[in-house]
């Protein structure tokens, strides 16, 4: 978010000299010269509206209408029924006690323990297990991150730099934004760790703001994201999504998504789509 300096307007008008009587009266002193007030300089600031970066939406959770036919739950029908272009993705876990006769109710069920799937009735999805596992993994990842950034100061997260660039791209180019973000010691520490220990599960700079919120906040964030994805389409056609990748907007979305999930009946079906 960049502060835009205004451009002062040019001063108009000529200099005014004091006026003095041509022949002062003998018994009277010359009156004090009168001065016209100096013109004031006015400054106008060109206020640019703040432009938020588009949120990163990798996975959308769709709350399926109850009367939707089973043949509609295929990738090439998603756009027709939901206006979504994507593929089914195994975001959810089936409950451990899933019966053989219940398997046909699941969407994209795969083998495994826990058994991943793209969706199914809420009562057959192990959302609590998913949230617990995500929180445990986040706690371990946070401990790694804490060691990696030890001794560095808190850093400004990337969405702040990106917002500043989008708001005033001429004065703050994208290359400058990237350079400023990467110049921070904490970001360099995280990048160096990722380069030295490649592989999944390592702390990434994309979640810098979430890590800096503290361990408990980060665990809650990952726990909620595990079942809510990045966006949600409700059964009545409302789309819930964060306004940007900033933590405050992500938290607002997760609050809305979790509150909506709590209102669903046990037979309500969920579907996960990778966009």
């Amino acid at each position: 978010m960049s502060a835009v300096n205004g451009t002062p307007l040019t001063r108009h008008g000529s200099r005014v000299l004091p006026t003095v009587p041509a022949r002062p009266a003998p018994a009277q002193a010359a009156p004090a010269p009168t001065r016209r007030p100096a013109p004031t300089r006015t400054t106008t600031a060109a206020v640019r509206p703040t432009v938020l970066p588009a949120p990163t939406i990798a996975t959308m959770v769709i709350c399926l209408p109850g009367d939707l036919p089973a043949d509609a739950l295929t990738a090439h029908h998603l756009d027709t029924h939901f206006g979504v272009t994507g593929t089914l993705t195994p975001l959810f876990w089936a409950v451990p006690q899933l019966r053989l006769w219940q398997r046909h109710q699941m969407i994209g069920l795969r083998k495994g323990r826990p058994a991943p799937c793209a969706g199914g009735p809420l009562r057959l999805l192990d959302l609590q297990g998913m949230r617990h596992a995500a929180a445990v993994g986040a706690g371990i990842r946070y401990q790694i991150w804490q060691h990696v950034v030890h001794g560095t100061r808190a850093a400004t997260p990337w969405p702040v730099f990106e917002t500043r660039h989008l708001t005033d791209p001429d004065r703050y180019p994208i290359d400058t934004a990237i350079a400023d973000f990467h110049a921070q010691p904490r970001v360099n520490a995280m990048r160096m760790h990722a380069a030295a220990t490649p592989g999944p599960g390592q702390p990434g700079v994309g979640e810098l703001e979430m890590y800096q919120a503290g361990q408990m906040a980060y665990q809650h964030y990952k726990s909620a994201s595990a079942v809510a994805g990045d966006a949600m389409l409700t059964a009545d056609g409302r789309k819930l999504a964060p306004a940007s990748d900033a933590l405050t907007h992500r938290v607002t979305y997760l609050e809305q998504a979790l509150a909506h999930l709590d209102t669903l009946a046990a037979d309500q079906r969920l579907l996960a789509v990778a966009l």
Side-chain angles (χ1 to χ4, degrees):
M1 290 167 277
S2 58
V4 182
N5 296 324
T7 303
L9 296 176
T10 304
R11 183 187 301 178
H12 294 278
S14 59
R15 183 181 178 188
V16 178
L17 297 176
T19 57
V20 181
R23 290 178 181 270
Q28 296 179 354
T34 59
R35 296 179 180 273
R36 185 174 298 177
T40 58
R41 176 177 296 181
T42 57
T43 302
T44 58
V47 179
R48 292 175 180 264
T50 300
V51 180
L52 293 176
T56 303
I57 307 296
T59 304
M60 172 179 279
V61 174
I62 300 176
C63 304
L64 300 174
D67 57 351
L68 191 70
D71 59 1
L73 305 180
T74 56
H76 60 280
H77 283 136
L78 291 176
D79 186 51
T80 302
H81 292 277
F82 307 110
V84 173
T85 302
T87 57
L88 305 186
T89 186
L91 174 70
F92 300 110
W93 292 353
V95 294
Q97 303 84 11
L98 189 68
R99 309 296 183 184
L100 278 176
W101 58 272
Q102 294 173 323
R103 289 179 173 272
H104 76 280
Q105 300 181 54
M106 309 305 294
I107 305 168
L109 182 65
R110 301 183 181 184
K111 295 181 179 180
R113 284 187 174 270
C117 62
L122 200 58
R123 60 187 171 81
L124 299 181
L125 300 177
D126 188 12
L127 300 190
Q128 283 302 114
M130 293 170 59
R131 296 190 62 172
H132 175 73
V136 171
I140 296 172
R141 203 155 47 250
Y142 184 88
Q143 294 299 322
I144 297 173
W145 175 81
Q146 205 168 39
H147 287 291
V148 169
V149 302
H150 180 71
T152 62
R153 293 177 298 177
T156 302
W158 167 246
V160 175
F161 294 94
E162 189 177 14
T163 298
R164 182 181 170 190
H165 159 68
L166 293 174
T167 301
D168 197 351
D170 293 332
R171 298 184 63 181
Y172 196 63
I174 186 63
D175 291 343
T176 303
I178 294 173
D180 288 348
F181 175 65
H182 284 170
Q184 301 177 101
R186 177 161 289 188
V187 174
N188 275 322
M190 295 179 69
R191 294 176 66 204
M192 192 67 254
H193 174 75
T197 56
Q202 298 296 339
V205 294
E207 292 187 327
L208 171 65
E209 191 175 12
M210 292 70 170
Y211 284 112
Q212 291 185 157
Q215 179 172 348
M216 189 61 68
Y218 180 65
Q219 288 185 276
H220 286 320
Y221 169 78
K222 297 302 289 185
S223 170
S225 300
V227 297
D230 303 309
M232 180 175 290
L233 189 64
T234 66
D236 57 1
R238 291 182 296 119
K239 182 180 178 180
L240 307 178
S244 77
D245 283 338
L247 179 57
T248 182
H249 295 145
R250 287 280 176 185
V251 170
T252 298
Y253 162 67
L254 291 174
E255 287 176 337
Q256 296 171 342
L258 293 180
H260 184 69
L261 288 176
D262 286 341
T263 66
L264 301 180
D267 288 334
Q268 172 69 54
R269 292 178 297 168
L270 301 181
L271 178 69
V273 179
L275 304 181

